[in-house]
Amino acid sequence: MSAFKFTVLAIAASAATTCLATNITVSTTTSNATSLDPSLVSFSIEMDHWADWAGTLQKPNRYTQALLKNIAARTGQPPSFRVGGDTEDHSVYAPQYQIVNDTFPPATNITPWPEATNVSIGRDFYSLSANLPAGTKFTWGINLKSRNVSIAVSEAEALMKAFQSLHTVSLELIEIGNEPDLFPWTSSEDVYIDEWLNVTNAVAEAIHLQKGRKPTLQGAAFAGTKFNMVNLINSGLLTNGSGKYISTLSQHRYQGTFCYGGGGLIQDLMNKAHIRGNLSKYEPDIAATNKAGLDYIFGETNSYSCHGAPGLSNTAGAAVWGIDYSLQAAKLNITRCHFHNGLGYKYNFFQPISGVSDDGVNNTAPHIMPLYHVLVIVGEAIGHNGRSSIQELTIDDTYTSGYGIYEDNKLVRVILINSQLYLSSDAGARPQTTISLQGLSSNAALKAKRFSIPSADATKGLTWAGQSFETPSGIPNGHVVEETVHAGNFTMNATEVVLLSLH
Ligand SMILES: *[C@@H]1O[C@H](CO)[C@@H](O)[C@H](O)[C@H]1NC(C)=O
Ligand SMILES: *[C@@H]1O[C@H](CO)[C@@H](O)[C@H](O)[C@H]1NC(C)=O
Ligand SMILES: *[C@@H]1O[C@H](CO)[C@@H](O)[C@H](O)[C@H]1NC(C)=O
Ligand SMILES: *[C@@H]1O[C@H](CO)[C@@H](O)[C@H](O)[C@H]1NC(C)=O
Ligand SMILES: *[C@@H]1O[C@H](CO)[C@@H](O)[C@H](O)[C@H]1NC(C)=O
Ligand SMILES: *[C@@H]1O[C@H](CO)[C@@H](O)[C@H](O)[C@H]1NC(C)=O
Ligand SMILES: *[C@@H]1O[C@H](CO)[C@@H](O)[C@H](O)[C@H]1NC(C)=O
Ligand SMILES: *[C@@H]1O[C@H](CO)[C@@H](O)[C@H](O)[C@H]1NC(C)=O
Ligand SMILES: *[C@@H]1O[C@H](CO)[C@@H](O)[C@H](O)[C@H]1NC(C)=O
Ligand SMILES: *[C@@H]1O[C@H](CO)[C@@H](O)[C@H](O)[C@H]1NC(C)=O
Ligand SMILES: *[C@@H]1O[C@H](CO)[C@@H](O)[C@H](O)[C@H]1NC(C)=O
Ligand SMILES: *[C@@H]1O[C@H](CO)[C@@H](O)[C@H](O)[C@H]1NC(C)=O
């Protein structure tokens, strides 16, 4: 098989006559692309409002189901769910309740939807997992922070018992402890290992974990980089006691914080160099984790921590960020990115129930937010063959990034991301970039789907390949529009994403 080469020529055409050209050579075959997990873009759900996402046993949340089925139709399987977060360490199993008894602190301006301080997990709570589409894989969180073996064991036993009678969804992983590096007494990786083993050895025995069988364990779930995976592995976590059941190490990652208000600029969030600068520092941890035979994931991530920044996390620009960020993570072999969601959070994929305000609007209906398009578009880029892989295109341009997607080592799709800022307040014509795929016949007709965005600061009016997902049912509206573009010459708008199919 001859390795065809073709080149992407990006011409940043300003209103004047200057043309800046960048050529990128891509092999149409590869032997060195990184495998893509179909669930690369997945969910992390704060535990307190789990029943709002899932619905009840009598009344499953049909809106959630419809939105997740849209993704399963694209990647062949629904996104994975981690249910936990901060509230996992404030939870107890309390079978006197049917679903849950949450205790919430008062709302504030910065935190209109605070996390529960106490979550009493009722009898049906874990079983609501079956309301999600068939094939959904779960990671459930268990309380470590209370350092109370009986709390952790009773949660784990109830969890196992629930999943034993669920046949459409599966319990893939158990995470014991969220962000233990922030526990005030956890001074080192060694202390974490000691406290984790104290609780987890008892859990593993109670629920009869077996090596090579699911569920396995997810370790670390660190908030920061004060502790790292290299030290964790060197300190013997994986070889001591129940450490042998660990299959996955999880790191949490946010790009900034809204914990004290403030925020950031959309152009800084979706900036190509920032995305790469922020992710490359995890490479030693990823390598050490993979060398130990484990998966490395972002078990909780999103734009700005403490539920997102208004005017940033809930914008179309954040969706452009999320596409480049998750694909860049995949390229580095971060197997999955679990984007954190909670009721009313500004960085959600969607709000699952009515009556939730975000960005000052009290929406009377459940609704998607711009970030939902990351699930759809990255899902389509990955495709449903189950064995696709990714290689980044080297593009010598400040604003254009791109990736080749391979199946059986043959290039099948190219996704291009233009992160040049275009705001609703910008006067004058929207900047455009002319792209030329060279090496293919310049007349070669490619199918193109566009992520059309009114402006980077828009929160509504986004479409993907002509369809709107901003519908009451979650079922997209309109027909799929696939443009035919010529490989040698087509344009992209500032703040836009295009997916090209070669076949
Ligand atoms: C891009 O490649 C074409 C031919 O492959 C070449 O003519 C052109 O000079 C290149 N442009 C740049 C900026 O390197
Ligand atoms: C394969 O990919 C890795 C990671 O992207 C890179 O470091 C390495 O140089 C590549 N090897 C070859 C032979 O291209
Ligand atoms: C429940 O809340 C009380 C009072 O805030 C607190 O002392 C206790 O630790 C909480 N329990 C858990 C499991 O977090
Ligand atoms: C829920 O838990 C809180 C304590 O965290 C308690 O005060 C309250 O009575 C409980 N609610 C019910 C309905 O039991
Ligand atoms: C552990 O939790 C149980 C149930 O909440 C409680 O009865 C027990 O006192 C706790 N044990 C310790 C050592 O705190
Ligand atoms: C295994 O863990 C136990 C309990 O935390 C600790 O006492 C022991 O030193 C550890 N052993 C090794 C080989 O790390
Ligand atoms: C582990 O358990 C032992 C025995 O209960 C206790 O002395 C020790 O402090 C615990 N370690 C941590 C880090 O919680
Ligand atoms: C990380 O991203 C933030 C904004 O998202 C940016 O301000 C910062 O400079 C980036 N850091 C690096 C090392 O690129
Ligand atoms: C990526 O991680 C997986 C485990 O999740 C491992 O099997 C694979 O070898 C890693 N790939 C690379 C290129 O390091
Ligand atoms: C939003 O509106 C609904 C229905 O009118 C109401 O029940 C709910 O309390 C409102 N929520 C907020 C946060 O204002
Ligand atoms: C690209 O297409 C535009 C309009 O269709 C045309 O004006 C331009 O000359 C073409 N450029 C090249 C390099 O073919
Ligand atoms: C570019 O954006 C403009 C203005 O938002 C829009 O009218 C046009 O259809 C877009 N063009 C492409 C190729 O996406």
Side-chain angles (χ1 to χ4, degrees):
M1 167 71 36
S2 67
F4 286 98
K5 303 268 186 188
F6 73 89
T7 302
V8 179
L9 175 65
I11 304 166
S14 70
T17 51
T18 46
C19 282
L20 295 169
T22 312
N23 286 350
I24 314 103
T25 303
V26 187
S27 297
T28 56
T29 63
T30 182
S31 54
N32 191 36
T34 308
S35 295
L36 281 165
D37 187 315
S39 305
L40 169 63
V41 184
S42 280
F43 284 74
S44 164
I45 299 281
E46 195 61 51
M47 188 181 271
D48 46 10
H49 280 290
W50 166 236
D52 290 327
W53 295 86
T56 62
L57 291 178
Q58 295 72 30
K59 201 163 176 282
N61 187 325
R62 301 286 176 211
Y63 185 67
T64 296
Q65 289 178 335
L67 289 176
L68 298 177
K69 283 177 184 167
N70 289 338
I71 311 310
R74 285 164 172 78
T75 67
Q77 69 183 60
S80 294
F81 273 70
R82 172 234 189 195
V83 191
D86 180 63
T87 45
E88 94 188 36
D89 284 307
H90 295 276
S91 65
V92 296
Y93 183 59
Q96 66 270 33
Y97 300 107
Q98 190 190 348
I99 297 180
V100 69
N101 177 32
D102 288 318
T103 307
F104 291 102
T108 65
N109 282 339
I110 291 177
T111 317
W113 297 91
E115 290 154 26
T117 49
N118 286 81
V119 179
S120 297
I121 295 176
R123 302 181 295 283
D124 292 347
F125 194 71
Y126 296 124
S127 300
L128 300 181
S129 304
N131 284 355
L132 268 54
T136 304
K137 295 172 183 165
F138 280 89
T139 303
W140 272 93
I142 282 179
N143 184 339
L144 175 66
K145 198 177 185 180
S146 295
R147 293 192 282 187
N148 181 316
V149 165
S150 78
I151 289 178
V153 165
S154 60
E155 287 186 345
E157 285 177 338
L159 177 64
M160 290 296 280
K161 186 160 174 279
F163 272 84
Q164 269 154 18
S165 51
L166 306 182
H167 303 295
T168 55
V169 296
S170 62
L171 179 62
E172 186 165 58
L173 290 154
I174 294 175
E175 173 184 282
I176 301 180
N178 171 68
E179 304 189 344
D181 52 330
L182 299 185
F183 296 171
W185 55 83
T186 312
S187 50
S188 68
E189 286 93 343
D190 285 339
V191 175
Y192 163 67
I193 292 173
D194 194 40
E195 72 186 352
W196 188 85
L197 287 173
N198 269 0
V199 172
T200 307
N201 286 344
V203 167
E205 195 182 313
I207 62 173
H208 311 293
L209 288 184
Q210 286 177 43
K211 198 154 165 61
R213 294 253 315 256
K214 287 181 180 173
T216 54
L217 299 177
Q218 175 157 302
F222 294 149
T225 49
K226 183 182 70 169
F227 294 178
N228 65 60
M229 308 308 176
V230 176
N231 288 344
L232 203 54
I233 293 164
N234 289 341
S235 301
L237 172 68
L238 306 176
T239 49
N240 194 344
S242 50
K244 63 176 171 290
Y245 304 119
I246 292 178
S247 66
T248 306
L249 293 181
S250 164
Q251 174 71 50
H252 295 183
R253 168 76 208 168
Y254 291 93
Q255 324 315 309
T257 183
F258 189 65
C259 296
Y260 315 100
L265 297 171
I266 298 175
Q267 61 268 37
D268 284 341
L269 180 64
M270 62 179 184
N271 179 286
K272 179 181 169 182
H274 288 172
I275 290 172
R276 283 143 189 82
N278 276 309
L279 290 176
S280 59
K281 70 174 178 197
Y282 296 102
E283 285 182 90
D285 274 357
I286 299 166
T289 304
N290 290 164
K291 189 160 172 269
L294 309 181
D295 297 330
Y296 180 99
I297 68 163
F298 278 173
E300 188 185 307
T301 191
N302 215 315
S303 51
Y304 272 41
S305 65
C306 290
H307 310 170
L312 177 69
S313 301
N314 57 343
T315 65
V320 173
W321 160 77
I323 292 167
D324 197 16
Y325 176 76
S326 54
L327 292 171
Q328 183 63 210
K331 175 207 145 177
L332 298 175
N333 212 22
I334 298 171
T335 308
R336 287 194 306 275
C337 295
H338 291 260
F339 285 76
H340 199 50
N341 279 239
L343 196 67
Y345 298 179
K346 270 96 45 180
Y347 53 41
N348 274 8
F349 289 133
F350 62 94
Q351 303 296 353
I353 60 168
S354 61
V356 176
S357 58
D358 48 65
D359 207 15
V361 180
N362 185 359
N363 291 277
T364 48
H367 58 281
I368 65 161
M369 300 184 70
L371 207 66
Y372 177 71
H373 298 90
V374 178
L375 279 159
V376 174
I377 295 167
V378 174
E380 282 197 27
I382 293 170
H384 45 63
N385 133 314
R387 300 184 313 277
S388 57
S389 57
I390 188 167
Q391 203 160 33
E392 185 170 18
L393 309 183
T394 306
I395 304 178
D396 185 15
D397 177 74
T398 311
Y399 299 120
T400 310
S401 58
Y403 303 85
I405 308 293
Y406 296 82
E407 288 175 3
D408 303 320
N409 293 331
K410 290 189 205 67
L411 185 67
V412 288
R413 285 176 289 281
V414 170
I415 185 166
L416 298 173
I417 298 133
N418 183 313
S419 58
Q420 186 174 2
L421 184 69
Y422 179 70
L423 293 174
S424 55
S425 58
D426 284 351
R430 186 169 185 160
Q432 290 199 327
T433 300
T434 301
I435 307 282
S436 177
L437 306 185
Q438 296 197 335
L440 294 176
S441 159
S442 66
N443 291 327
L446 304 178
K447 286 181 191 151
K449 290 182 170 182
R450 279 185 208 272
F451 182 24
S452 296
I453 291 172
S455 60
D457 50 335
T459 58
K460 296 251 171 349
L462 287 60
T463 61
W464 167 241
Q467 289 191 308
S468 172
F469 290 79
E470 295 165 9
T471 62
S473 64
I475 296 166
N477 197 10
H479 295 291
V480 174
V481 176
E482 278 191 309
E483 276 172 63
T484 300
V485 301
H486 293 286
N489 185 6
F490 62 94
T491 61
M492 278 183 76
N493 267 337
T495 313
E496 194 181 66
V497 177
V498 172
L499 179 66
L500 303 163
S501 295
L502 273 69
H503 305 292

